C-alpha cells in the first residue's frame, strides 16, 4: 500500500503561498485536461484494488478515493490560488489520511483499535487546526499589508488567537488519545492514568 505524500500540485501551492506569489490561473484547456487526468487515475487505482480482499481492499479503495479528492482540491488551489482554496486542499489531505488510517485500524481489535481510531482522529484534528491557523494568519497578513498600523496590530492579534485556538484543538485531541489508552488499565492503575492525563492536558 502506498501512503499519502504531498502531490506535485500541493508542493507548488505551498511554494507559491510561502513566497507570497499568486500564480496565474490555469487555462480552461489545462484545467479540463488535469481534471480528466485525475478522474482517469482514480478509475485505474480503484480497478487495481480489485486484486485485493478483505480490509486490504478497503484500505486500497480508501487510498484511491482520498488521492482523487486531494488531487481535485490541489487543482482548485492552483486554478484559484487563495488562502481559502489552500486551506481546503490541506483539509482534503487531512480527511483523506484520516479515512485511510481509520480503515487500517480495522486490522486491530479491542482497546488497541480504539486507541488507533483516536490517534487517527487526533492527527486529522492537528492537521486541520494547523491549516485553519495558517489561513487566518495569511488573511490577516494580507489585510495588514494593505491597511494601516491599526490593521497590522489587529492582524497580529488575530494571528495569535488563531494559533491559540489551534493549540487548544490539538491538546483536546491528544487528551482523547491519552484517555483511550487509560482504558487498557483497570482499577487503581486506570485511575492513576486518568489523573496523570488530566494533569498533563489541563483537564478537571
Amino acid at each position: 500500500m502506498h501512503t499519502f505524500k504531498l502531490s506535485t500540485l500541493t508542493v507548488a501551492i505551498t511554494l507559491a503561498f510561502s513566497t507570497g506569489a499568486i500564480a496565474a490561473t490555469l487555462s480552461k484547456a489545462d484545467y479540463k485536461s488535469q481534471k480528466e487526468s485525475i478522474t482517469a487515475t482514480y478509475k485505474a487505482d480503484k480497478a487495481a484494488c480489485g486484486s485485493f480482499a478483505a480490509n486490504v481492499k478497503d484500505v486500497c479503495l480508501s487510498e484511491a478515493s482520498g488521492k482523487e479528492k486531494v488531487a481535485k482540491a490541489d487543482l482548485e488551489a492552483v486554478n484559484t490560488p487563495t488562502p481559502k482554496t489552500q486551506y481546503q486542499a490541506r483539509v482534503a489531505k487531512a480527511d483523506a489520511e484520516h479515512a485511510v488510517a481509520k480503515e487500517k485500524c480495522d486490522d486491530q481489535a479491542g482497546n488497541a483499535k480504539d486507541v488507533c481510531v483516536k490517534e487517527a482522529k487526533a492527527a486529522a484534528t492537528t492537521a486541520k487546526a494547523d491549516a485553519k491557523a495558517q489561513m487566518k494568519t495569511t488573511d490577516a497578513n494580507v489585510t495588514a499589508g494593505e491597511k494601516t498600523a491599526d490593521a497590522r496590530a489587529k492582524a497580529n492579534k488575530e494571528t495569535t488567537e488563531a494559533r491559540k485556538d489551534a493549540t487548544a484543538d490539538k491538546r483536546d485531541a491528544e487528551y482523547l488519545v491519552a484517555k483511550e489508552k487509560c482504558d487498557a488499565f483497570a482499577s487503581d492503575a486506570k485511575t492513576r492514568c486518568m489523573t496523570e492525563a488530566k494533569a498533563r492536558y489541563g483537564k478537571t
Side-chain angles (χ1 to χ4, degrees):
M1 285 295 127
H2 294 293
T3 55
F4 277 105
K5 294 181 180 179
L6 280 174
S7 69
T8 302
L9 283 172
T10 302
V11 173
I13 296 164
T14 303
L15 290 174
F17 277 89
S18 64
T19 58
I22 299 297
T25 56
L26 299 171
S27 68
K28 288 185 178 180
D30 284 342
Y31 177 78
K32 181 180 179 182
S33 175
Q34 291 194 37
K35 202 165 185 179
E36 289 175 347
S37 177
I38 290 170
T39 299
T41 298
Y42 167 65
K43 289 180 179 179
D45 288 344
K46 184 178 178 182
C49 295
S51 60
F52 301 115
N55 196 49
V56 175
K57 182 176 182 179
D58 292 339
V59 171
C60 181
L61 290 170
S62 184
E63 287 182 335
S65 177
K67 181 179 173 183
E68 180 197 26
K69 291 175 182 176
V70 170
K72 285 183 176 179
D74 285 349
L75 179 59
E76 294 305 322
V78 169
N79 190 52
T80 310
T82 65
K84 183 177 180 180
T85 55
Q86 184 192 29
Y87 165 74
Q88 290 171 335
R90 288 174 172 169
V91 168
K93 184 172 185 292
D95 285 339
E97 290 181 336
H98 180 218
V100 172
K102 276 181 63 181
E103 284 295 348
K104 289 182 177 180
C105 291
D106 285 344
D107 288 329
Q108 302 182 53
N111 182 248
K113 180 178 179 179
D114 293 338
V115 170
C116 180
V117 170
K118 286 293 193 301
E119 287 178 335
K121 178 65 176 177
T125 297
T126 295
K128 289 182 180 181
D130 286 340
K132 188 174 183 179
Q134 181 60 47
M135 179 179 67
K136 288 186 176 181
T137 298
T138 302
D139 280 338
N141 288 339
V142 169
T143 300
E146 295 173 347
K147 297 186 179 179
T148 63
D150 287 341
R152 286 193 289 274
K154 182 180 179 182
N156 288 335
K157 181 181 178 182
E158 289 176 351
T159 295
T160 300
E161 290 176 349
R163 288 173 179 165
K164 284 174 63 177
D165 288 343
T167 298
D169 287 345
K170 293 177 193 178
R171 286 180 65 82
D172 286 345
E174 289 168 359
Y175 170 66
L176 290 177
V177 172
K179 185 179 176 182
E180 195 64 54
K181 288 181 178 179
C182 291
D183 284 345
F185 302 109
S187 191
D188 291 343
K190 182 175 181 179
T191 299
R192 284 195 300 272
C193 180
M194 284 299 301
T195 299
E196 290 172 1
K198 288 178 179 179
R200 188 180 313 127
Y201 296 105
K203 303 295 180 180
T204 56

